[in-house]
Amino acid sequence: MGAVAKKKSAELSTEVMDDVWADAGKGASFKEDEMQVPFLRLAQDMSPQTKKNKPEFIDGLEYGGIFNTLTSEFWLREDGLRVIVCDTVTKYTEWVPRDNGGGFVSEIDADDPVLEEVVREKGADVMPNGNHLIKADNFYCLYESADGGWNPAILDMKITQLKIGRRWKSKINICTMKHPKTGQVAKAPIFANIWKISSVDETNKNNDTYANYSVDMDTKNFFFDDMDLYQQAKSLATAVAAGDLKESVDPEKQNKAPPVDKDQEIPF
């Protein structure tokens, strides 16, 4: 695991630390709606985070790795990262086509009737006004950081990643648990399991290779036995359902170019 921006840990003398330790956490704890939730993204060959001449460059990040858009913490492909899914939300965004200058327009409500008027043209979902519609499955997660703590983030899957998101939802849907006392079997809550996220290579019809997500059950501790962590995950799920989370600035929405069209089969 690589971590460019780890949390700062104070290193003080024993005498000072005794007093500081007694005040641990004071003034440094905030509610979910007061914090910005970052995105977790997959690094491609053309990602600016892998280019030394780009301001977004993350030293040590490689193709196929996963990075945090806010803290620049990252995980190499061979390491992967562990996450707990707390909720999922499907979102739709409107983009000006690249040929018309590109650019993010707005987010569209899932109940907006304009979604019924979208047509498929040349590998893109086209709205009545000619702009492109991008669908994304947002997985609101807790991810395991380099220091062993668990922090909230959004892992959004779009374009070719949507198929991985569908498979992930299917895996979540069939997770069951058995009560140790009664023997009863029930569907597990979404925030009761740990998943391992990594990446694999895929090839499109033009023989271009790109990285896509790989999602598997965490073989070491799929059903985790940690009440504090469970309550943290449950709290995040409640915040998502209430709409209390604030997303951090999405760097992709600041770019002029919209996501790559689906017929090219390479996620941005």
Side-chain angles (χ1 to χ4, degrees), residues 30-215:
F30 304 96
K31 297 178 180 179
E32 284 83 355
D33 61 357
E34 297 178 290
M35 296 182 292
Q36 291 186 330
V37 182
F39 291 86
L40 298 175
R41 294 269 163 78
L42 190 58
Q44 304 291 342
D45 271 334
M46 298 305 295
S47 297
Q49 290 78 12
T50 63
K51 307 299 180 183
K52 290 185 177 180
N53 62 335
K54 298 292 185 179
E56 301 94 337
F57 175 66
I58 300 175
D59 190 14
L61 176 65
E62 300 174 357
Y63 162 83
I66 300 170
F67 63 94
N68 184 312
T69 60
L70 184 64
T71 68
S72 295
E73 185 176 7
F74 67 90
W75 299 262
L76 298 176
R77 165 181 279 185
E78 57 266 29
D79 298 326
L81 78 155
R82 302 166 76 212
V83 303
I84 300 169
V85 181
C86 300
D87 202 354
T88 63
V89 178
T90 299
K91 292 196 173 185
Y92 302 86
T93 51
E94 178 181 354
W95 296 77
V96 176
R98 291 168 181 261
D99 293 343
N100 295 338
F104 170 73
V105 178
S106 65
E107 188 171 309
I108 300 175
D109 191 87
D111 297 325
D112 194 316
V114 74
L115 296 180
E116 301 296 328
E117 303 178 51
V118 173
V119 296
R120 188 76 172 165
E121 294 181 1
K122 298 180 180 180
D125 291 328
V126 182
M127 302 174 63
N129 62 4
N131 287 340
H132 290 182
L133 180 76
I134 300 296
K135 176 184 177 182
D137 281 335
N138 285 10
F139 291 81
Y140 290 80
C141 304
L142 290 177
Y143 71 92
E144 187 178 31
S145 189
D147 60 9
W150 292 81
N151 302 302
I154 302 168
L155 201 161
D156 55 337
M157 294 187 174
K158 57 183 76 69
I159 317 296
T160 56
Q161 300 166 357
L162 278 172
K163 62 185 178 183
I164 309 301
R166 289 193 294 268
R167 293 173 193 165
W168 196 0
K169 289 181 178 179
S170 297
K171 291 179 179 180
I172 292 172
N173 187 57
I174 61 175
C175 288
T176 59
M177 57 184 179
K178 185 176 182 179
H179 198 287
K181 293 182 179 179
T182 66
Q184 290 181 303
V185 177
K187 182 177 292 188
I190 191 172
F191 41 81
N193 305 124
I194 297 177
W195 301 85
K196 184 70 175 291
I197 310 298
S198 186
S199 70
V200 294
D201 284 346
E202 293 189 356
T203 304
N204 66 8
K205 59 188 178 183
N206 297 321
N207 289 322
D208 298 315
T209 299
Y210 61 93
N212 207 345
Y213 285 108
S214 173
V215 180

